Amino acid sequence: MESVRTQDVSVNDLRWKIEYRPDLCTMCGSCVAACTFNAIDVGMMRRSITLSRKAFPDPTQEHSARPVIMQKPSIPSACVGCGMCEKICPNAAIKPVRNQDTRFSVLARQHGPVKRGGRTNLNPPRTLDSIFVGRISQMTDPALDSERHTFDIRSPLGRVMLAKELPLRVDGDSLVLTESTPPVHWIYPAIFSDMSIGALSTRAWEAIALAAAYLNEKCGMPVRMCSGEGGMPIKLLESDQLKYMILQIASGHFGWNRIIKAMPRMKTDPAGVLIKIGQGAKPGDGGLLPAAKVAPHIQAIRGVPKATLHSPPNHQGLYSIEESVQKMHLSLNAAFGFRVPVAIKCAASATSVSVYNNLLRDPYKICGGFFMDGIQGGTGAANEVSLEHTGHPIVSKLRDCYMAAVAHGLQGQIPLWVGGGIGLTGNAAADAFKMICLGANGVIIGKILIQLLGCVGNEHGRCNACNTGKCPTGICTQDPRLVKRLDVDRGAQNIVDYMLAFDSELRKLLAPVGNSSLPVGRSDALVTTDKAVADKLDIQYAC
Amino acid sequence: MALNLMLPQQEGHDNSGFAMVMQDLEGVFSHYKDKPLLSLACTPEGVQLVNDYMEERAFVQVAQWVPEVDKRPDLKINAMPRYVFRNYDYPEEYRTRSQKEREDLLLDTRLELRALLAEKQNGFVYSFWPDVLTLKEIGDPADIAVYFRLWNNDGRLTARNIVTQCRQNTNYAIVRYAAHPFFLQGYTVCANGENTFFTKNKEFQKSLHRGYVGFESDSQNFLYTLHYVLHELRWPIKYYKHVITPLPFVEVEKRADRKVLNLIRESLAHLEINGPNTIIGLLPDGKMITCCDSKKLRPVVVGGTSDMVAIASEVCGLNAIMPDRDLSKDIYPNEREMVVIDNDLAVQRWNQ
Ligand code: SF4
Ligand code: SF4
């Protein structure tokens, strides 16, 4: 017997243990081939088998060396519980099981902080789940019929002016416009979140872009998609479909060179520009695209060599909000001839309200939207410690920002778009409706999209290996063999189907409160069963 | 007459109150049309507080009418001890000031009196405006009319334009201020229905103008928006309808004036109403208007003869006062329509 040290890592130290049934296994090898994490292997074991080959019991015992599937007792190739082996096994001979006795978090830091992709896995109960739509119209304020009534489900993206500041002149019994005003687009109140091409596989990104275009062109839903940091394929930049895209410029400025160069050949304006300041789910940590995912086409789009790409936590060279407004907003507005709304995206944090207040006071009136991302968002890679322990739940920050605007009579001036856990339970429409009642103009959805594409990660530590370049579903990897696992059309179809259901569900919530347009700030429609939530959000307490 | 119109619509009210705003007065007030008229219900101490305040501000009282009330014991009315209707002359220094400054003075005076009387629950002040009288009381409308001897028709209390309603809001406790109609700087509004966007309307209106106070009823929003669009922004009347019930986006896209309509919708999104309503309004120049919510979930009818036009929730009200009118000319405004009745009783209707 080989000598072992008690310090050696064993399978029982890992987060997931493989439960293997040699009696069911036909040794087809599918599971080993499917496991992208190299967590299992074929090995030999000496086995004792009792056999009876005759028509009557005649047991004999044999000892022989047989091939088996074995889990590797190693931290770098630890099983992530993705379940691909189980999915592919024709005989149900293998499956991952969560290991309660894991010592992973104490053993895994040999080579520095643990990095991973995915989402925060320390989820406290969500505030949204203790909130209900409680003011149902009954007699005097009749409910609408969600199937028959027409609903006007649109939200603004762009800088809104106060009525008193509008350049309108009375001419007879009409008003005429005397000057131009900042661009405002009325779009669907759910934006496909900024997941970059690079973080996602080209196929995954393409599936989402395809779904956005389909929803616009075939379903009459003006959904917009944010490019994420890192630029876009030239073909798309030069196509008509650019009008459905919000271009993001983040602190790494990756890909902007190509965007700027493509500008003269753009057929149409993009839907907007989004300046990302802090990372959502890991504020203060910056972005990270591990070298493993920087494939040649990503290098081309971003204009970088193959290396781990860090986006700094901040826009280097910007010192204050005022400066950011002047430098970034003005230059980007000017770049697109003041025809494209330029919005800003921050992580929800204790200081979000100050940033929002500052933007509301901006004399140039140039910020076309305030996007906030809460603790539960995120698909990229990060230090685990940041993912789990930094950030701010989105609900109360949204409410604080909205109420700050109310205090100044400026609500609606800079549209509030919020993300971070919208659709965490699978019901994005309910979450969106509640956020809108609390003051949001619309929501940003991200993770639910990749779940619709087939992501198997969850908040309980399953998979979350988006940083490894080995995404078993082909969503978060640039490995051509893995990317092929993703069916683009089927993925896009899933997203379209979900969004159509989302739209119906939104109507199902608008109808009972008797509204045919979005109830932005209609906090009276909500009740909560949690007294603390009621006090904090200033909504009715119910029990 | 106004009372007769109200009574057959009995099922529409719950004996919670009665209120009316009269404009373009005749009778006892006919000689003081240009002098602001203060309408109050208060306690004797309240009268004293008001006297002192007005004196201090150099308002000079020029006339007073105290209704001789009928104090029969069995009336269902929650009467206040004193009702005061007084004409004042502007303080000396205001006689040469602009119309706007005078309007602001009257508003501020009313708001300050309101706060003064509310402090120790000494009474209610409803309006302070030239040629406008407001009466509000809690109780059975028919009994309230008996109390104020409104049935007598003795010609002392008459007006060319009257807005009246026989109920209070349903959503709130019964208080005098909550009775419809509501008045602000020459604008009067009463409404039938609910305002599901009350909270968002209110949150926005609070910061728009110091006169937007109270919010004792969700219908007050309609008045404040009317005042804001016409008095503050000075936009033509048709934009009131565009603000409160914006056209759906797909329809706006087809319009030549879509840019203006979109801008209005963007800027005043928080003044949109999105519930079942009929709004009836009286403007400072004596025009009356009515319009409905965007889904037409509440009734309203306009009917008239050669010397009177009336707007009522139910047609039975019109039948009671104008049985001989040409019924075929009655107008039932639709969800996108606005009806305006001029001073010469010409009725205009247009689609949004
Ligand atoms: S669950 Fe996933 S990571 Fe674990 S062995 Fe199976 S395929 Fe590999
Ligand atoms: S399936 Fe892919 S996208 Fe989903 S958590 Fe795993 S690695 Fe990330």
Side-chain angles (χ1 to χ4, degrees):
Chain A
M1 192 178 152
E2 270 181 75
S3 70
V4 289
R5 304 221 174 265
T6 51
Q7 282 96 341
D8 286 351
V9 172
S10 75
V11 165
N12 198 30
D13 292 327
L14 306 181
R15 280 172 170 153
W16 295 86
K17 273 163 94 172
I18 286 299
E19 207 175 273
Y20 172 63
R21 301 261 316 263
D23 51 328
L24 299 177
C25 180
T26 58
M27 290 312 292
C28 68
S30 303
C31 55
V32 178
C35 178
T36 58
F37 301 98
N38 202 15
I40 43 179
D41 216 348
V42 183
M44 293 300 282
M45 253 182 202
R46 184 167 179 264
R47 290 284 169 117
S48 128
I49 302 174
T50 307
L51 284 173
S52 176
R53 288 205 164 93
K54 300 207 172 124
F56 52 89
D58 174 33
T60 56
Q61 207 170 28
E62 284 177 12
H63 295 277
S64 62
R66 289 177 168 266
V68 288
I69 304 297
M70 291 194 302
Q71 185 175 0
K72 290 188 188 161
S74 122
I75 296 282
S77 49
C79 168
V80 300
C82 70
M84 285 301 132
C85 49
E86 183 182 7
K87 200 173 236 174
I88 209 154
C89 175
N91 286 353
I94 188 166
K95 68 173 186 206
V97 179
R98 200 180 294 278
N99 177 22
Q100 286 201 342
D101 304 312
T102 175
R103 298 177 65 230
F104 190 85
S105 58
V106 280
L107 299 180
R109 288 176 171 82
Q110 293 151 343
H111 305 291
V114 176
K115 292 202 177 35
R116 70 146 211 268
R119 52 234 90 213
T120 166
N121 288 339
L122 297 178
N123 266 303
R126 291 194 326 159
T127 311
L128 284 177
D129 298 331
S130 70
I131 297 177
F132 303 90
V133 181
R135 189 190 193 271
I136 304 302
S137 298
Q138 301 186 87
M139 289 275 270
T140 53
D141 52 340
L144 305 176
D145 181 328
S146 71
E147 310 290 334
R148 282 188 311 141
H149 267 103
T150 45
F151 291 82
D152 224 14
I153 302 178
R154 296 285 179 274
S155 279
L157 174 63
R159 183 65 155 94
V160 171
M161 315 258 288
L162 284 173
K164 284 201 159 174
E165 297 166 346
L166 290 177
L168 294 173
R169 180 170 52 80
V170 179
D171 181 11
D173 65 350
S174 292
L175 291 170
V176 283
L177 200 60
T178 55
E179 282 168 44
S180 60
T181 51
V184 176
H185 300 314
W186 285 87
I187 59 176
Y188 198 76
I191 289 178
F192 291 170
S193 168
D194 39 337
M195 295 179 290
S196 70
I197 191 166
L200 297 187
S201 67
T202 33
R203 277 200 187 207
W205 203 88
E206 188 188 336
I208 298 173
L210 204 62
Y214 191 89
L215 285 165
N216 274 280
E217 288 166 13
K218 301 280 190 235
C219 313
M221 286 169 68
V223 173
R224 297 290 172 266
M225 169 179 174
C226 183
S227 67
E229 173 166 32
M232 287 206 302
I234 289 279
K235 264 200 181 151
L236 183 54
L237 284 171
E238 292 176 6
S239 79
D240 265 337
Q241 275 67 35
L242 181 66
K243 59 178 182 274
Y244 309 134
M245 304 296 303
I246 298 172
L247 302 179
Q248 181 169 80
I249 179 161
S251 50
H253 299 196
F254 293 120
W256 264 82
N257 212 6
R258 290 228 314 182
I259 292 175
I260 301 292
K261 281 189 187 146
M263 275 175 70
R265 289 185 306 282
M266 283 182 187
K267 279 208 199 87
T268 168
D269 284 332
V273 173
L274 186 60
I275 305 171
K276 177 156 93 176
I277 299 287
Q279 297 285 334
K282 44 180 165 47
D285 208 12
L288 183 70
L289 189 66
K293 292 171 76 171
V294 185
H297 60 279
I298 300 304
Q299 294 173 36
I301 293 175
R302 297 197 170 201
V304 288
K306 185 172 177 73
T308 292
L309 303 180
H310 284 282
S311 298
N314 217 325
H315 283 271
Q316 308 294 301
L318 288 185
Y319 151 78
S320 67
I321 299 162
E322 292 80 0
E323 195 181 5
S324 129
V325 161
Q326 288 192 26
K327 275 193 193 157
M328 300 210 57
H329 277 89
L330 273 174
S331 56
L332 286 168
N333 267 287
F336 289 98
F338 294 87
R339 297 184 309 268
V340 175
V342 179
I344 193 166
K345 177 169 176 178
C346 291
S349 115
T351 55
S352 303
V353 185
S354 330
V355 177
Y356 190 53
N357 267 328
N358 248 286
L359 292 170
L360 285 169
R361 284 202 287 264
D362 150 42
Y364 303 96
K365 304 216 177 314
I366 213 161
C367 177
F370 190 55
F371 286 50
M372 248 189 315
D373 202 350
I375 199 166
Q376 274 137 343
T379 51
N383 288 310
E384 187 166 273
V385 71
S386 318
L387 266 182
E388 303 279 40
H389 301 282
T390 60
H392 198 301
I394 188 66
V395 184
S396 62
K397 269 306 118 191
L398 158 71
R399 191 70 180 144
D400 288 351
C401 284
Y402 180 73
M403 292 317 278
V406 167
H408 299 115
L410 298 175
Q411 60 267 55
Q413 291 263 293
I414 298 183
L416 278 165
W417 288 81
V418 289
I422 304 293
L424 188 72
T425 53
N427 307 312
D431 292 350
F433 184 85
K434 293 171 191 175
M435 293 303 249
I436 289 170
C437 284
L438 291 170
N441 291 92
V443 295
I444 319 163
I445 52 176
K447 191 193 80 187
I448 187 106
L449 300 178
I450 60 168
Q451 286 181 315
L452 290 164
L453 294 180
C455 163
V456 294
N458 66 16
E459 280 66 33
H460 309 293
R462 186 181 189 200
C463 198
N464 292 346
C466 320
N467 61 315
T468 56
K470 295 177 184 161
C471 171
T473 55
I475 295 168
C476 268
T477 171
Q478 306 301 343
D479 180 334
R481 287 175 311 128
L482 297 179
V483 172
K484 284 207 188 87
R485 291 183 180 186
L486 182 70
D487 181 333
V488 177
D489 293 331
R490 201 161 145 196
Q493 174 83 49
N494 287 350
I495 294 176
V496 168
D497 289 346
Y498 187 87
M499 288 310 291
L500 292 175
F502 177 102
D503 194 53
S504 306
E505 285 180 349
L506 213 51
R507 285 157 208 256
K508 288 266 175 226
L509 292 171
L510 283 162
V513 301
N515 289 160
S516 56
S517 60
L518 289 178
V520 180
R522 238 203 101 178
S523 53
D524 60 300
L526 304 179
V527 299
T528 171
T529 48
D530 183 323
K531 185 76 177 71
V533 169
D535 291 345
K536 174 66 196 161
L537 302 182
D538 194 18
I539 57 177
Q540 234 185 79
Y541 172 56
C543 59
Chain B
M1 195 61 97
L3 274 167
N4 285 324
L5 178 144
M6 300 308 296
L7 289 183
Q9 305 180 53
Q10 190 85 40
E11 69 272 29
H13 65 79
D14 53 5
N15 290 341
S16 60
F18 167 79
M20 64 175 174
V21 175
M22 304 172 91
Q23 183 175 317
D24 203 349
L25 300 166
E26 280 305 319
V28 290
F29 299 102
S30 58
H31 302 298
Y32 308 101
K33 279 178 157 310
D34 60 337
K35 307 277 185 262
L37 169 59
L38 183 65
S39 304
L40 297 165
C42 56
T43 61
E45 302 85 71
V47 177
Q48 201 48 51
L49 285 171
V50 172
N51 287 345
D52 295 347
Y53 178 89
M54 296 302 272
E55 205 164 304
E56 205 178 295
R57 299 294 143 111
F59 278 102
V60 185
Q61 185 181 329
V62 291
Q64 163 153 294
W65 179 68
V66 178
E68 257 173 67
V69 294
D70 181 342
K71 291 201 171 167
R72 270 180 240 182
D74 54 345
L75 295 180
K76 281 194 223 79
I77 169 170
N78 207 342
M80 289 293 288
R82 304 283 294 274
Y83 295 89
V84 178
F85 300 96
R86 269 186 202 159
N87 287 108
Y88 283 93
D89 214 336
Y90 290 98
E92 189 74 47
E93 50 173 319
Y94 274 85
R95 299 203 185 143
T96 53
R97 298 257 187 114
S98 70
Q99 172 79 1
K100 162 125 190 19
E101 285 170 300
R102 287 178 174 209
E103 289 185 359
D104 286 347
L105 172 74
L106 296 184
L107 171 66
D108 291 334
T109 308
R110 176 173 67 78
L111 293 177
E112 279 169 39
L113 284 174
R114 178 180 170 138
L116 193 69
L117 292 177
E119 205 175 299
K120 297 208 176 96
Q121 290 169 358
N122 276 320
F124 303 84
V125 46
Y126 302 119
S127 61
F128 186 34
W129 201 254
D131 214 15
V132 169
L133 179 145
T134 308
L135 179 73
K136 292 193 179 192
E137 205 34 90
I138 297 172
D140 178 339
D143 285 358
I144 294 173
V146 171
Y147 187 80
F148 289 103
R149 298 182 199 274
L150 298 179
W151 298 113
N152 293 1
N153 229 341
D154 53 12
R156 288 193 292 174
L157 205 56
T158 54
R160 283 192 189 83
N161 298 314
I162 303 174
V163 184
T164 182
Q165 196 162 342
C166 283
R167 73 172 299 143
Q168 295 219 340
N169 63 84
T170 333
N171 296 346
Y172 304 84
I174 291 180
V175 289
R176 281 174 187 76
Y177 279 128
H180 291 228
F182 304 98
F183 176 85
L184 178 68
Q185 290 196 309
Y187 295 84
T188 306
V189 158
C190 72
N192 174 17
E194 302 261 324
N195 179 11
T196 52
F197 274 1
F198 173 68
T199 301
K200 63 184 275 185
N201 285 175
K202 177 175 125 177
E203 282 174 348
F204 193 58
Q205 286 171 338
K206 270 184 166 170
S207 61
L208 286 179
H209 194 272
R210 66 192 184 292
Y212 303 164
V213 295
F215 300 104
E216 290 91 357
S217 162
D218 51 9
S219 301
Q220 265 158 306
N221 295 140
F222 313 147
L223 169 69
Y224 297 150
T225 297
L226 182 71
H227 178 269
Y228 190 68
V229 171
L230 298 184
H231 190 269
E232 296 301 299
L233 297 173
R234 307 212 160 267
W235 289 351
I237 176 79
K238 69 177 183 190
Y239 293 101
Y240 177 56
K241 182 75 175 143
H242 282 296
V243 169
I244 58 172
T245 61
L247 289 169
F249 289 102
V250 279
E251 279 177 44
V252 169
E253 273 318 300
K254 297 182 208 140
R255 305 248 312 206
D257 56 351
R258 60 181 168 274
K259 271 207 155 159
V260 171
L261 296 187
N262 272 336
L263 278 177
I264 293 174
R265 181 168 197 173
E266 278 154 38
S267 297
L268 296 177
H270 287 265
L271 293 184
E272 182 190 342
I273 60 170
N274 201 274
N277 289 292
T278 289
I279 296 167
I280 297 173
L282 172 58
L283 310 183
D285 59 6
K287 277 187 189 141
M288 278 193 141
I289 60 162
T290 187
C291 55
C292 301
D293 63 85
S294 55
K295 295 165 221 85
K296 181 64 184 174
L297 290 167
R298 280 285 178 277
V300 67
V301 54
V302 183
T305 60
S306 59
D307 61 356
M308 176 163 58
V309 177
I311 307 171
S313 293
E314 325 277 345
V315 74
C316 55
L318 298 186
N319 292 344
I321 55 164
M322 296 183 284
D324 301 327
R325 75 187 188 288
D326 182 353
L327 289 175
S328 67
K329 293 208 171 119
D330 283 358
I331 299 171
Y332 294 86
N334 67 36
E335 63 271 27
R336 290 292 164 201
E337 198 169 15
M338 184 141 177
V339 174
V340 179
I341 303 156
D342 276 337
N343 259 338
D344 57 7
L345 302 188
V347 179
Q348 300 173 38
R349 49 193 299 201
W350 16 265
N351 263 318
Q352 191 181 350

